[in-house]
Amino acid sequence: PEVREAMLPYLEGAYGNPSGGYRFGKDSRKAVEAARERVASLAGAKAEEIVFTSCGTESNNSAFYSAVETYPDRKHLVTTRAEHSAVVNVVEYLEATHGYEVDWVPVDEGGWVDVDAMEGVVRPGETALVSLMWANNETGVLGPVKEAAGICEEAGVLFHTDAVQAMGKVPVSVAACGAHYLSISGHKMHAPKGVGALVVSERVRFHATMIGGGQEGGRRSGTENVASIVGMGKAAEVMERAMAEGSMERVKELRDRFEGRILGAIEGTGINGDIERRLPNTTNFFFEGVDAEGLLILLDNDDVCCSPGSACSTGSFEPSRVITAMGYDTERGRSSVRFSLSMFSTEGEIDEAVKLIAAAARKLRVARPVRGSRVVGGGRA
């Protein structure tokens, strides 16, 4: 509600172009700069390091483009197969069309990145960029971002982290972790869809992908989406306050309640990913003998929202790339579903959802009995 209220004036009378020299424009410019300060505060960055974009995908793409332009002679990239498609697909594109060599660092069965393996493949003077997400978009598992950034700093290599899922849920600080680029998306922290940001460290050069009128300090041309940027700024303020007040601890308690009741109600069910090093709001179940797409359809009819894999790939009917990257077979990938909670979730919603999920899973298993016993946490019995 606070975000909506902050946006309304810029959808009504405050319609000025922030690049305009007239009063309406100057008012919009002030609002954009205030939002920049708020987003910077949440990200542990300086206001001048914030570049507003349209979404996390644009932010990720912009980081890669800037890195390869900064070091055109470096033809090596490092990342993992568990990253969001906005990173994996860019890397595969550069590999296929521009001759880049890629090292895909493995993750273990809990989704945790092998930092030693990463250190072993980073090449001083040859690696253009290392990209590792702060928190996984499907499992919520946190990445060893600070350790990876330290490896890159020592090797003189640029480091990018996709922090889209982490913002507003766990403390994030560009200054503390040492990242050169950090991606943010508004809709993951209660701002509107279609607005994001890229944090560009003042320590690095930046090459823009959007060329035109020189907005955002020449780093992202194009008229700013003022209302959504204002909304993102207010959301950053709200989430920073909520974390300070312990709201995410309450969300974690709700998630644990949800998980405990699902595991108790449905046999042959387990949690994908490390159950300790993860976001407080995200859980990813596998339901043995249950097709994730079928489960989504049944639950959607009951007003329970979930995603088999990333929401960006819903409808693809492919097994989760993240789950298979963790070493599991396609059967488990096709039986895995992500659920997300927020500070607006309630115990009543949790308990009702458990009943509906259990009923849907039983229905889908009628012709496909479950083998074995209940499994919990990271695939270990």
Side-chain angles (χ1 to χ4, degrees):
E2 291 180 68
V3 171
R4 182 183 63 243
E5 292 303 312
M7 291 176 65
L8 281 176
Y10 301 92
L11 297 170
E12 297 174 344
Y15 51 79
N17 186 328
S19 296
Y22 42 81
R23 177 169 52 84
F24 285 148
K26 291 177 181 178
D27 290 345
S28 293
R29 171 53 53 194
K30 289 178 182 178
V32 168
E33 295 310 315
R36 198 184 310 277
E37 292 277 357
R38 289 168 172 168
V39 173
S41 179
L42 184 65
K46 296 180 180 179
E48 55 268 27
E49 294 177 317
I50 302 295
V51 181
F52 286 116
T53 66
S54 65
C55 59
T57 295
E58 183 188 336
S59 298
N60 287 342
N61 276 248
S62 296
F64 272 87
Y65 182 86
S66 180
V68 300
E69 284 289 305
T70 298
Y71 295 116
D73 296 329
R74 298 187 181 187
K75 295 292 184 178
H76 179 239
L77 301 168
V78 177
T79 189
T80 82
R81 286 286 182 188
E83 301 296 302
H84 191 276
S85 57
V87 166
V88 171
N89 289 351
V90 172
V91 171
E92 290 181 341
Y93 170 78
L94 291 171
E95 182 182 32
T97 64
H98 289 69
Y100 279 81
E101 185 180 352
V102 181
D103 271 302
W104 301 94
V105 180
V107 299
D108 65 17
E109 65 177 6
W112 186 250
V113 175
D114 188 333
V115 180
D116 291 336
M118 175 173 285
E119 186 171 17
V121 298
V122 172
R123 307 174 191 171
E126 296 181 38
T127 304
L129 185 69
V130 173
S131 183
L132 175 65
M133 64 198 330
W134 200 295
N136 189 269
N137 55 295
E138 293 189 25
T139 64
V141 173
L142 299 170
V145 173
K146 187 172 183 178
E147 294 90 333
I151 291 169
C152 292
E153 187 69 27
E154 186 173 342
V157 170
L158 292 174
F159 177 72
H160 164 255
T161 181
D162 175 350
V164 165
Q165 291 289 337
M167 295 295 295
K169 305 179 185 77
V170 293
V172 170
S173 174
V174 173
C177 82
H180 299 105
Y181 307 108
L182 182 143
S183 299
I184 306 170
S185 185
H187 74 283
K188 293 298 181 182
M189 56 181 194
H190 300 297
K193 293 172 289 294
V195 64
L198 177 66
V199 183
V200 180
S201 170
E202 62 181 0
R203 298 178 292 132
V204 299
R205 288 174 289 171
F206 184 71
H207 296 267
T209 56
M210 301 285 282
I211 309 299
Q215 288 88 345
E216 292 299 293
R219 297 172 297 182
R220 201 273 189 184
S221 292
T223 303
E224 292 96 339
N225 181 355
V226 177
S228 291
I229 288 172
V230 168
M232 187 174 178
K234 175 56 72 171
E237 179 187 283
V238 169
M239 297 312 294
E240 188 168 16
R241 183 177 70 236
M243 284 195 295
E245 293 173 350
S247 290
M248 290 302 113
E249 286 300 315
R250 176 183 166 275
V251 172
K252 179 181 180 297
E253 291 172 1
L254 284 176
R255 183 206 62 198
D256 292 347
R257 176 190 181 103
F258 179 54
E259 289 179 344
R261 297 197 173 199
I262 287 288
L263 295 172
I266 311 170
E267 290 190 0
T269 300
I271 299 167
N272 289 313
D274 192 303
I275 60 173
E276 298 297 330
R277 297 174 289 193
R278 56 174 174 159
L279 296 175
N281 76 307
T282 304
T283 185
N284 190 303
F285 291 103
F286 68 90
F287 298 93
E288 188 178 338
V290 172
D291 175 70
E293 294 286 347
L295 187 64
L296 180 149
I297 292 168
L298 290 181
L299 292 179
D300 187 50
N301 291 334
D302 289 326
D303 295 328
V304 178
C305 303
C306 61
S307 295
S310 168
C312 301
S313 61
T314 298
S316 66
F317 295 97
E318 293 294 323
S320 164
R321 174 175 40 74
V322 171
I323 303 305
T324 54
M326 291 159 61
Y328 298 110
D329 57 23
T330 56
E331 178 75 11
R332 181 149 165 170
R334 290 193 177 96
S335 300
S336 296
V337 180
R338 177 190 67 177
F339 295 88
S340 299
L341 287 73
S342 82
M343 60 185 184
F344 298 109
S345 301
T346 67
E347 289 186 0
E349 290 171 340
I350 293 298
D351 295 343
E352 181 65 17
V354 170
K355 295 177 185 177
L356 294 167
I357 294 165
R362 284 193 295 268
K363 185 174 183 179
L364 291 168
R365 282 174 171 171
V366 167
R368 193 177 179 187
V370 180
R371 298 183 301 276
S373 60
R374 183 177 298 115
V375 184
V376 297
R380 290 182 285 273

